[in-house]
Amino acid sequence: MYRTVTVGLDDSPEGRAAVEWAAREAQLRGLPLQIVHVQEPTPRFTARTPLFDAERYHHWAEQLAREVAEHVRLRHPSIEVITEQLTGAVADVLCEAAGFAEVMVLGSQGIGGLRGAMAGSVTMGVVAHAERPVVVVRAHEQAAGEHRAFSGGVPPPVEPYRPVVVGLDLGRPDEALLGFAFDAAARRRTALRAVHAWPEVSRSVHGFSSDAAFHDTLARGEASMLRKVLRPWRQKFPDVKVIEASRCGNVAQVLVHNSRDACLVVVGRRIRTGSLGTHIGPVTHSALHHIAAPVAVVAHA
């Protein structure tokens, strides 16, 4: 049984934002928070530091983990916080740690991010190979960003969350992806927006005399398939309000557009047995690079 929310820590704004998000997720799930800091045998920055002091580096790493853990305990006294210092190649170690976690959380700058151990290739490597859900958090993400803006009057006792968004491929709807998305919305007591898109079809491939009539027929069919896929999940999570967003257009662009007000975006990644490299698919890749909200990548067969 996976019994922790695990977060990879480094000394960057992205890493610290990931820890804060992971702490809130652990609280929502009623699970311990495990903070993992990976010390590289030969840190990448030593190439620019001829007088590298290994002992001082290890002391700094241990102090960083202690300080961050103490900060989390002060902000979230109800959750158990565990720290772990590991050594090795960062992506490999975090992938192994993800295998024992309910959720793995990492920080990332998005396009062009080079600062910090979690940025760039490390985060993408973990996302591409971990078989447990991985949530990627940007540096600017704060608690207030998950909730709807409040204006005037008496504030509600519990601030309402922004919606959870899930991107769906109706050709291969996966239970792990839908289960994670519905569960996330239920825990936050918020709506789930199910986004599905299909590409524009050239008029040469259909026999309709009117493009408008063909598009309307196609749209009704796609919307019907989306309702069919969601029907058993609505029954399983009757308290979750489901918003169906079935649109014609570029799949990645439709997902990004429908995620502007999300507190969490859930996308899938097919597990490719024996494949090399970071194969995560174009839609998931676009989501990680262009969506400001935290993005959860759920691996599935």
Side-chain angles (χ1 to χ4, degrees), residues 171-203:
R172 292 187 294 264
D174 183 78
E175 290 195 357
L177 176 69
L178 283 160
F180 187 95
F182 270 88
D183 179 72
R187 291 182 188 278
R188 290 163 173 79
R189 299 181 182 179
T190 192
L192 176 67
R193 181 181 300 140
V195 178
H196 162 62
W198 69 93
E200 187 73 53
V201 180
S202 171
R203 70 173 63 188

Side-chain angles (χ1 to χ4, degrees), residues 21-33:
W21 192 94
R24 300 196 301 273
E25 185 68 12
Q27 194 162 25
L28 280 173
R29 292 175 176 266
L31 295 176
L33 172 68

Side-chain angles (χ1 to χ4, degrees), residues 50-72:
L51 301 178
F52 172 67
D53 186 330
E55 184 176 349
R56 188 174 182 179
Y57 165 63
H58 293 311
H59 175 73
W60 166 84
E62 292 172 357
Q63 184 178 13
L64 171 67
R66 284 197 303 270
E67 290 178 352
V68 170
E70 184 59 28
H71 178 74
V72 171

Side-chain angles (χ1 to χ4, degrees), residues 91-149:
D92 293 343
V93 173
L94 290 175
C95 273
E96 184 176 355
F100 298 95
E102 187 83 12
V103 179
M104 167 62 80
V105 185
L106 301 174
S108 179
Q109 286 184 322
I111 289 179
L114 297 176
R115 178 182 175 182
M118 297 303 110
S121 60
V122 170
T123 295
M124 297 298 282
V126 176
V127 168
H129 296 104
E131 296 192 4
R132 298 296 301 161
V134 179
V135 179
V136 179
V137 181
R138 300 289 182 87
H140 71 271
E141 203 283 323
Q142 299 295 330
E146 294 185 322
H147 300 280
R148 294 188 181 278

Side-chain angles (χ1 to χ4, degrees), residues 19 23 33 35 68-77 79 81:
V19 171
L33 172 68
I35 301 174
V68 170
E70 184 59 28
H71 178 74
V72 171
R73 292 186 182 104
L74 289 173
R75 287 178 58 85
H76 305 277
I79 65 173
V81 181

Side-chain angles (χ1 to χ4, degrees), residues 110 136 138 252-253 255-256 259 265-268 280-297:
V136 179
R138 300 289 182 87
Q253 290 178 2
L255 178 61
V256 171
S259 300
V265 178
V266 185
V267 293
I280 63 173
V283 176
T284 297
H285 188 276
S286 181
L288 289 170
H289 285 75
H290 297 291
I291 292 176
V295 176
V297 182

